[in-house]
C-alpha cells in the first residue's frame, strides 16, 4: 500500500513561507544547509511539506494545488489568522461545512475547512 505523505511547494520566498506554516499551522521547520529543500513536519500525523526554490520560469500562485487544513472552528481560525496579519477570504458555507481561502507568502492556495468535522 502507498500513501501520499509529502507535497513539494515551489516558492520564491522559501524562508517567509516556512515561517508562515510554522507560525500559523504548527509545522516544524527542518532546514539542512546542505539541501536546498526545506522540510516542514506537521504537528502529529499529516502531510509533510517540502519547500523548493522556484525556478525563474515558474509562475507563482497559480492554483494547480490547494492545501486544505482541517479545523474544527473555521471562524475562530480565520479571526486568528487575520489578527496575525494574514489576508483571508470570507467564510463560505457549503453542504454542511464552512471554509475560507487564503494564500501563503509564495502565493500557494490554501483553505481552512470544517469539512472533516461536519
Amino acid at each position: 500500500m502507498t500513501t501520499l505523505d509529502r507535497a513539494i511547494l515551489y516558492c520564491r520566498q522559501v524562508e517567509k513561507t516556512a515561517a508562515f506554516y510554522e507560525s500559523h499551522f504548527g509545522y516544524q521547520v527542518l532546514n539542512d544547509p546542505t539541501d536546498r529543500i526545506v522540510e516542514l513536519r506537521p504537528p502529529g500525523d499529516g502531510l509533510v511539506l517540502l519547500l523548493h526554490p522556484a525556478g525563474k520560469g515558474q509562475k507563482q500562485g497559480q492554483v494547480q494545488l490547494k492545501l486544505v487544513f482541517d479545523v474544527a472552528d473555521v471562524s475562530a481560525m480565520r479571526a486568528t489568522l487575520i489578527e496575525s496579519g494574514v489576508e483571508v477570504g470570507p467564510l463560505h458555507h457549503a453542504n454542511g461545512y464552512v471554509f475560507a481561502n487564503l494564500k501563503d507568502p509564495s502565493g500557494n492556495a490554501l483553505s481552512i475547512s470544517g469539512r472533516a468535522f461536519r
Side-chain angles (χ1 to χ4, degrees), residues 9 17 20-21 24-25 49 63 65-69 81 86-89 99-105 107-113:
L9 296 177
T17 303
F20 174 86
Y21 288 102
H24 301 297
F25 295 100
L49 301 177
V63 180
L65 172 72
K66 181 185 278 189
L67 300 176
V68 178
F69 289 89
L81 288 164
V86 177
E87 289 185 35
V88 183
F99 70 95
N101 297 312
L102 60 145
K103 292 191 177 190
D104 72 19
N108 295 300
L110 313 175
S111 180
I112 50 175
S113 172

Side-chain angles (χ1 to χ4, degrees), residues 18-87:
F20 174 86
Y21 288 102
E22 180 179 41
S23 172
H24 301 297
F25 295 100
Y27 274 75
Q28 178 186 7
V29 178
L30 303 174
N31 192 2
D32 177 350
T34 64
D35 188 356
R36 67 186 201 159
I37 293 177
V38 174
E39 185 170 323
L40 303 179
R41 292 272 173 174
D45 293 332
L47 187 68
V48 173
L49 301 177
L50 303 172
L51 305 184
H52 190 295
K56 291 180 182 177
Q58 288 178 301
K59 290 187 178 184
Q60 294 290 275
Q62 292 182 330
V63 180
Q64 296 177 1
L65 172 72
K66 181 185 278 189
L67 300 176
V68 178
F69 289 89
D70 293 327
V71 296
D73 188 340
V74 175
S75 182
M77 180 66 170
R78 180 178 179 272
T80 299
L81 288 164
I82 290 170
E83 287 172 16
S84 304
V86 177
E87 289 185 35

